[in-house]
Amino acid sequence: ETGVTQTPRHLVMGMTNKKSLKCEQHLGHNAMYWYKQSAKKPLELMFVYNFKEQTENNSVPSRFSPECPNSSHLFLHLHTLQPEDSALYLCASSLPGQGYGYTFGSGTRLTVV
Amino acid sequence: GENVEQHPSTLSVQEGDSAVIKCTYSDSASNYFPWYKQELGKRPQLIIDIRSNVGEKKDQRIAVTLNKTAKHFSLHITETQPEDSAVYFCAAINTGTASKLTFGTGTRLQVTL
């Protein structure tokens, strides 16, 4: 593992389900990110958190709800998703404002049926 | 904000040949430029990076060059091998002011035997 752990690795959910993705890092980083990766948009930034505060929401639909209870944990709560939301969801962390040591988790492969 | 363009989107080379991937950036204040490699089904991983006070950096078969005047940087892979097949992402950041890396759209490199 890289120091950034994502669970689950795979998730299949119906459009009416509610599920959550989890990201955890033990690298001492204070910035965490959610990315969506699909064939159409290789690395699409969704949310940025610095010191637990959301600093960027890249016009993400409200059916995606992030939560950052502390600098080591990041969640993405999912509800009433659409099939086009099927993608690989990647979490990353770094030292804020640095870009150095930008480390990705292995991702959650989400399939919405 | 920063905008990073990456070319080509796909690249096929024969084993042993060289591969070059090019990126341009828009913010002249950007000062850190990492490159990530993402193998199929895996997470993006940092393979090399360069800071704006350096024009070239090399690590075995991989090298990166930076032209600050033209605002472009390139990844060079020599003596390509099948295991170099992956998607490569360039990125840029102004570490003094920005909160996140801005990624290019990726290059799918295929090394054929």
Side-chain angles (χ1 to χ4, degrees), chain A residues 73-107:
Chain A
H73 294 84
L74 185 65
F75 296 89
L76 188 63
H77 304 300
L78 317 171
H79 62 97
T80 60
L81 294 191
Q82 305 298 313
E84 59 265 29
D85 296 322
S86 299
L88 180 69
Y89 288 84
L90 289 163
C91 171
S93 70
S94 75
L95 294 172
Q98 296 294 313
Y100 307 139
Y102 212 94
T103 305
F104 285 91
S106 297

Side-chain angles (χ1 to χ4, degrees), chain A residues 2 37 42 45 97-98 102 105, chain B residues 36 38 43 95 98-100 105:
Chain A
T2 64
Q37 190 171 46
L45 180 67
Q98 296 294 313
Y102 212 94
Chain B
Y36 287 80
Q38 186 177 24
R43 61 182 177 87
T95 59
S99 62
K100 65 186 189 299
T105 50

Side-chain angles (χ1 to χ4, degrees), chain A residues 17-75:
Chain A
N17 290 159
K18 290 184 180 180
K19 297 287 184 183
S20 295
L21 310 185
K22 180 182 177 182
C23 177
E24 185 174 356
Q25 60 91 8
H26 298 287
L27 299 171
H29 293 167
N30 288 305
M32 297 188 77
Y33 315 83
W34 279 117
Y35 284 86
K36 176 184 178 182
Q37 190 171 46
S38 62
K40 291 185 178 180
K41 294 188 179 182
L43 272 176
E44 184 180 2
L45 180 67
M46 301 175 73
F47 302 102
V48 179
Y49 278 83
N50 282 290
F51 295 97
K52 304 188 301 178
E53 299 298 320
Q54 186 181 121
T55 55
E56 189 162 340
N57 176 337
N58 203 23
S59 302
V60 180
S62 59
R63 58 186 183 270
F64 295 91
S65 176
E67 178 190 1
C68 190
N70 54 60
S71 294
S72 299
H73 294 84
L74 185 65
F75 296 89

Side-chain angles (χ1 to χ4, degrees), chain B residues 62-89:
Chain B
I62 295 174
V64 58
T65 58
L66 172 65
N67 183 327
K68 287 190 295 182
T69 303
K71 291 189 286 187
H72 67 70
F73 56 113
S74 300
L75 178 71
H76 305 255
I77 306 174
T78 58
E79 301 172 17
T80 54
Q81 301 169 2
E83 52 264 39
D84 295 328
S85 296
V87 178
Y88 292 81
F89 293 95

